[in-house]
């Protein structure tokens, strides 16, 4: 008599946080010194790496080089990350930070992704 095995995996969960704030401040470079140095010496390369890790196009941040005075890509990825992780904030704050602290914004987003990244292991089970 054949038996059927049904395996269901719970949905992926993010790390629980007590607050809805960023895990680190905009100028918390001491939390990850190597990444902040990388961002300082080659911000476009660091932004591309971070964008790819976030799931966006690798070269997307390079479009900021052709824009106006507000880096639209940096700002939109920051807004997207705030919404994805449920972080409080405003578009005005995102605009100011992205315009005047671009490298620090990319470092903060990278630290946030590291903190919230929980590897999800998918297991395919079948019975023959």
């Amino acid at each position: 008599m054949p038996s059927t095995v049904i395996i269901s995996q719970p949905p992926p969960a993010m790390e629980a946080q007590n607050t809805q704030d960023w895990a680190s401040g905009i100028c918390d470079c001491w939390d990850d010194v190597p990444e902040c140095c990388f961002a300082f010496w080659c911000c476009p390369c660091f932004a591309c790496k971070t964008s790819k890790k976030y799931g966006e196009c690798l070269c997307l941040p390079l479009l900021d080089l052709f824009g106006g005075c507000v880096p639209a890509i940096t700002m939109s990825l920051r807004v997207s990350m705030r919404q994805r992780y449920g972080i409080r904030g405003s578009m005005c704050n995102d605009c100011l930070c992205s315009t005047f602290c671009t490298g620090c914004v990319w470092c903060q987003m990278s630290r946030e992704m590291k903190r919230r990244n929980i590897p999800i292991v998918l297991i395919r089970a079948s019975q023959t």
Side-chain angles (χ1 to χ4, degrees), residues 22-79:
W22 290 93
S24 62
I26 191 88
C27 295
D28 287 344
C29 292
W30 296 113
D31 288 354
D32 197 341
V33 175
E35 286 213 341
C36 285
C37 287
F38 180 19
F40 176 78
W41 292 108
C42 190
C43 191
C45 296
F46 183 78
C48 289
K49 177 189 87 89
T50 305
S51 175
K52 177 73 174 170
K53 201 163 70 172
Y54 188 63
E56 295 296 332
C57 177
L58 174 69
C59 298
L60 185 64
L62 297 179
L63 293 175
D64 277 346
L65 299 174
F66 302 108
C69 57
V70 175
I73 304 302
T74 302
M75 182 179 148
S76 62
L77 282 177
R78 182 176 167 88
V79 170

Side-chain angles (χ1 to χ4, degrees), residues 87-109:
I87 298 170
R88 284 185 292 206
S90 67
M91 289 196 60
C92 181
N93 186 38
D94 293 331
C95 181
L96 288 171
C97 290
S98 298
T99 302
F100 297 109
C101 305
T102 306
C104 295
V105 163
W106 283 105
C107 287
Q108 183 184 38
M109 290 191 296

Side-chain angles (χ1 to χ4, degrees), residues 1 3-4 7 13 17 47 52 54-55 66-67 92 102 108 120-121:
M1 204 151 119
S3 63
T4 304
I7 297 177
Q17 285 196 319
K52 177 73 174 170
Y54 188 63
F66 302 108
C92 181
T102 306
Q108 183 184 38
I120 300 168
V121 179

Side-chain angles (χ1 to χ4, degrees), residues 14-23 85-86 88 115-116:
M14 289 189 300
E15 182 177 327
Q17 285 196 319
N18 295 335
T19 67
Q20 295 173 333
D21 296 325
W22 290 93
Y85 296 139
R88 284 185 292 206
R115 178 162 163 44
R116 295 181 184 256

